[in-house]
Amino acid sequence: MKASNFVFGLITGSVTAAVTVLFSTPQSGREIRSSVKSASTDLKYKMNDVKGKIAELKDSITHMSKEAREIVPEAIEDVKGSIEQWKLSTEKNKERLEKEISAIQNSLAELEQSIAAQQK
């Protein structure tokens, strides 16, 4: 949602509520003018508050996106480094496991030959 749409909706709702209250309340002209003046003053304060909060939100988003631009590449590099370290550490184990598997296969072949020789 864009901030301009939110502000437009807020203003429209406030004006509609103010007009509804003015026409549904039995008051004298002086009282109505006083109510309108009070409502407009309140609306100005609320609008200034909304503008301030929108500015804070905008600054916060800008700050977060700036931090993300700095942190995300560092995190990606850290992950890449960790993956490379993992690959290197598993490479040694891979070679050792391949040698052990080869030794087991050789032992099985020798065992099969031994069994075949004993059965003859």
Side-chain angles (χ1 to χ4, degrees):
M1 174 190 293
K2 291 187 176 181
S4 61
N5 290 341
F6 175 74
V7 172
F8 179 73
L10 184 67
I11 291 171
T12 303
S14 299
V15 169
T16 303
V19 169
T20 302
V21 168
L22 285 176
F23 287 120
S24 66
T25 306
Q27 294 177 340
S28 68
R30 179 175 283 152
E31 291 172 337
I32 290 176
R33 285 190 296 274
S34 174
S35 294
V36 169
K37 186 175 182 179
S38 174
S40 68
T41 303
D42 288 344
L43 181 62
K44 286 178 186 177
Y45 287 127
K46 289 179 183 177
M47 291 304 297
N48 286 335
D49 186 44
V50 168
K51 286 180 185 178
K53 293 199 186 276
I54 289 173
E56 288 175 15
L57 179 63
K58 189 176 179 181
D59 290 342
S60 176
I61 290 171
T62 302
H63 179 70
M64 285 175 51
S65 65
K66 185 178 180 181
E67 281 186 0
R69 277 187 248 127
E70 294 171 358
I71 293 173
V72 169
E74 290 176 13
I76 289 172
E77 289 302 317
D78 288 345
V79 169
K80 285 181 182 178
S82 296
I83 290 172
E84 287 301 318
Q85 287 178 350
W86 178 79
K87 284 181 181 179
L88 291 175
S89 69
T90 57
E91 188 65 34
K92 294 174 186 175
N93 290 332
K94 180 182 171 186
E95 292 172 4
R96 183 182 53 80
L97 288 173
E98 286 174 350
K99 288 178 183 177
E100 287 180 13
I101 290 171
S102 178
I104 291 171
Q105 287 174 341
N106 290 338
S107 296
L108 287 174
E110 290 174 4
L111 184 61
E112 287 175 353
Q113 289 173 357
S114 167
I115 293 173
Q118 286 179 356
Q119 288 180 350
K120 288 185 180 182

